[in-house]
């Protein structure tokens, strides 16, 4: 039995251009520091094999010292590391995959067709291939049929599964089912997924280990797997991100924008990056900037967007001879006799939601 780690899409030296320059620089440093945390994790848990499925570098023009730091931390891992370059960090002669001094425990697939690395100590074989340009129109996995020779056959590739456009190694489910692999480690899709099966092959994308923007929200990490003595494979998600991107909506109907935003926030958010979207009906002008300023210290970074709509006079139409008019007159009488402002606020809110129901509208 042995354990393996499956990671992908580190995108080291991403610009984080949506952040202020000082925070962007810090996020780039944190992304590089993630490599050290990963090496410590691998060694502490006795992981023997690391499968890295491409786009570890954000481009072929990242800082050389970033690639050298990647090499150094991979070299610290007490495991064999197999890398399949992707569309952002594709292999080219004379590029970083060629010119950096990669340690002996790191194998980089450099060809645009499947190759195999035998690991006698684990009774395993790793199959992989590289992007050799920014696009890969044909499936790199097509035609692979690993032999049933008593060894565990694993694969590592950057690619998509049955995409609508054939640009980034378009792998079919049939390719996976016929591959003879026990596990296929994929990269490219930044949203992690539960491992799936095609035939006897378990396959998955781990997603990226650190979100880089509001299109990469939620928990991020890697997959860790176990190969049992009989060759059976299991894999599960391990959170690894230091910070998370989150988007929440705050309905301002019947309350101030700041009250709505505060009620939408839960838990400790000091390490995370949030976008709060103000929605619902506002009684006046909403100052998203003021909300952002009031709450900024509760987050690593905060963005507030105003998507509210102006509220109509809630009592307009009370004179109508209709069900709507009767509803409004009844609530207006209660509003007029209310003992305090809080009761009036609640009655007005009930009127707004009642009108929305009568008019088949959604206040959210």
């Amino acid at each position: 039995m042995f354990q393996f780690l499956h990671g992908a899409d580190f995108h080291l030296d991403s610009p984080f251009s949506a952040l202020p320059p000082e925070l962007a620089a810090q996020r780039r440093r944190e992304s590089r520091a993630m490599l050290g945390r990963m090496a410590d994790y691998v060694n502490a848990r006795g992981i023997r094999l690391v499968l890295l499925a491409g786009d570890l570098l954000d481009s072929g023009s990242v800082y050389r010292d970033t690639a050298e730091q990647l090499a150094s931390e991979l070299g610290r891992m007490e495991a064999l590391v197999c890398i399949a370059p992707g569309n952002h960090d594709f292999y080219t002669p004379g590029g970083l995959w060629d010119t950096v001094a990669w340690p002996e425990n790191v194998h980089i697939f450099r060809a645009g067709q499947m190759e195999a690395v035998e690991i006698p100590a684990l009774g395993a074989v790793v199959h992989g291939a590289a992007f050799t340009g920014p696009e890969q129109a044909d499936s790199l996995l097509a035609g692979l049929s690993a032999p049933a020779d008593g060894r565990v056959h694993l694969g590592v590739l950057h690619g998509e599964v049955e995409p609508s456009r054939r640009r980034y190694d378009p792998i079919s489910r049939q390719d996976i089912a016929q591959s003879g692999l026990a596990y296929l480690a994929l990269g490219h899709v930044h949203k992690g997924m539960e491992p799936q099966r095609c035939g006897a092959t378990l396959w998955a994308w781990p997603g990226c280990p650190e979100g880089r923007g509001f299109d990469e929200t939620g928990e991020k990490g890697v997959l860790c797997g176990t190969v049992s003595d009989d060759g059976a494979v299991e894999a599960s998600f391990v959170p690894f991100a230091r910070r998370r991107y989150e988007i929440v909506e705050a309905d301002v109907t019947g309350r101030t924008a700041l009250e709505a935003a505060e009620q939408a926030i839960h838990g400790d958010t000091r390490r995370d990056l949030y976008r709060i979207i103000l929605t619902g009906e506002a009684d006046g002008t909403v100052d998203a900037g003021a909300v952002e300023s009031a709450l900024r210290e509760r987050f690593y970074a905060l963005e507030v967007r105003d998507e509210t709509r102006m509220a109509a006079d809630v009592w307009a139409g009370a004179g109508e001879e209709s069900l709507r008019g009767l509803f409004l007159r009844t609530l207006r009488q209660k509003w007029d006799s209310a003992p305090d402002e809080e009761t009036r606020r609640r009655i007005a809110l009930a009127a707004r939601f009642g009108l929305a129901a009568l008019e088949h509208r959604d206040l959210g």
Side-chain angles (χ1 to χ4, degrees):
M1 183 182 81
F2 66 90
Q3 296 182 78
F4 66 89
L5 181 144
H6 169 197
D9 297 287
F10 298 176
H11 286 276
L12 297 171
D13 279 353
S14 289
F16 292 98
S17 54
L19 294 174
E22 66 277 9
L23 293 186
Q26 183 179 13
R27 292 295 291 132
R28 288 192 292 274
R29 290 194 297 271
E30 290 175 348
S31 295
R32 293 191 290 270
M34 178 269 296
L35 303 171
R37 293 192 293 115
M38 188 171 290
D40 292 341
Y41 182 89
V42 166
N43 295 341
R45 285 157 181 78
I47 291 170
R48 304 287 304 280
L49 178 63
V50 176
L51 304 174
L52 300 178
D55 283 2
L56 307 186
L57 308 174
D58 194 51
S59 72
S61 58
V62 301
Y63 292 111
R64 186 176 183 84
D65 59 355
T66 299
E68 289 174 346
Q69 184 174 351
L70 173 62
S72 175
E73 297 296 355
L74 295 181
R76 281 207 306 117
M77 294 181 180
E78 297 166 3
L80 175 66
V81 180
C82 293
I83 299 173
N87 59 296
H88 278 261
D89 59 359
F90 56 88
Y91 173 80
T92 54
L96 290 172
W97 295 124
D98 244 1
T99 60
V100 169
W102 298 97
E104 291 185 0
N105 67 315
V106 173
H107 179 86
I108 300 165
F109 291 102
R110 291 176 165 87
Q113 59 272 340
M114 296 297 282
E115 298 178 330
V117 176
E118 298 184 354
I119 316 172
L122 300 181
V125 181
V126 177
H127 303 259
F131 272 62
T132 55
E135 295 190 3
Q136 172 62 43
D138 298 319
S139 169
L140 293 168
L141 188 65
L144 177 69
S145 180
D149 56 6
R151 297 181 294 178
V152 178
H153 291 264
L154 310 168
V156 57
L157 285 171
H158 198 78
E160 300 177 298
V161 175
E162 298 189 346
S164 58
R165 299 180 64 190
R166 299 178 63 85
R167 297 180 62 190
Y168 304 114
D169 187 15
I171 299 167
S172 73
R173 293 177 183 274
Q174 185 177 13
D175 290 340
I176 299 173
Q178 294 178 348
S179 68
L181 299 174
Y183 184 79
L184 175 59
L186 291 176
H188 188 66
V189 174
H190 291 191
K191 183 177 177 59
M193 59 169 280
E194 287 291 322
Q196 301 182 22
R197 285 198 182 275
C198 286
T201 302
L202 191 69
W203 65 276
W205 290 288
C208 51
E210 288 276 355
R212 297 177 300 147
F214 288 108
D215 56 345
E216 296 174 356
T217 58
E219 199 69 79
K220 299 296 179 183
V222 298
L223 289 167
C224 285
T226 301
V227 178
S228 66
D229 291 337
D230 63 2
V233 180
E234 296 180 350
S236 58
F237 178 76
V238 175
F240 221 80
R242 294 286 299 274
R243 305 185 191 278
R244 297 189 306 174
Y245 283 82
E246 296 289 356
I247 300 174
V248 297
E249 292 189 356
D251 187 348
V252 307
T253 306
R255 70 196 76 183
T256 68
L258 181 57
E259 289 172 341
E262 288 179 323
Q263 291 175 21
I265 301 165
H266 304 286
D268 185 358
T269 58
R270 289 172 297 176
R271 297 188 62 82
D272 299 329
L273 301 91
Y274 266 65
R275 174 183 291 164
I276 299 176
I277 301 175
L278 302 174
T279 64
E281 292 191 344
D283 290 323
T285 301
V286 171
D287 189 343
V291 175
E292 190 171 303
S293 296
L295 299 178
R296 184 176 292 121
E297 291 186 0
R298 295 172 59 176
F299 303 88
Y300 178 76
L302 174 64
E303 171 188 306
V304 179
R305 291 189 174 183
D306 177 16
E307 296 185 7
T308 61
R309 55 184 179 273
M310 289 297 294
D313 179 4
V314 70
W315 306 117
E320 296 176 4
E321 293 299 325
S322 62
L323 178 61
R324 180 174 181 269
L326 176 61
F327 169 74
L328 289 173
R329 286 194 296 275
T330 301
L331 283 186
R332 181 57 190 253
Q333 290 172 2
K334 294 180 181 294
W335 190 88
D336 288 338
S337 61
D340 53 51
E341 285 301 318
E342 176 60 21
T343 303
R344 289 191 181 93
R345 189 189 71 80
R346 292 179 181 275
I347 293 169
L349 186 60
R352 293 191 189 283
F353 280 100
L355 285 175
L358 287 170
E359 297 167 3
H360 305 290
R361 291 186 290 111
D362 182 359
L363 276 179

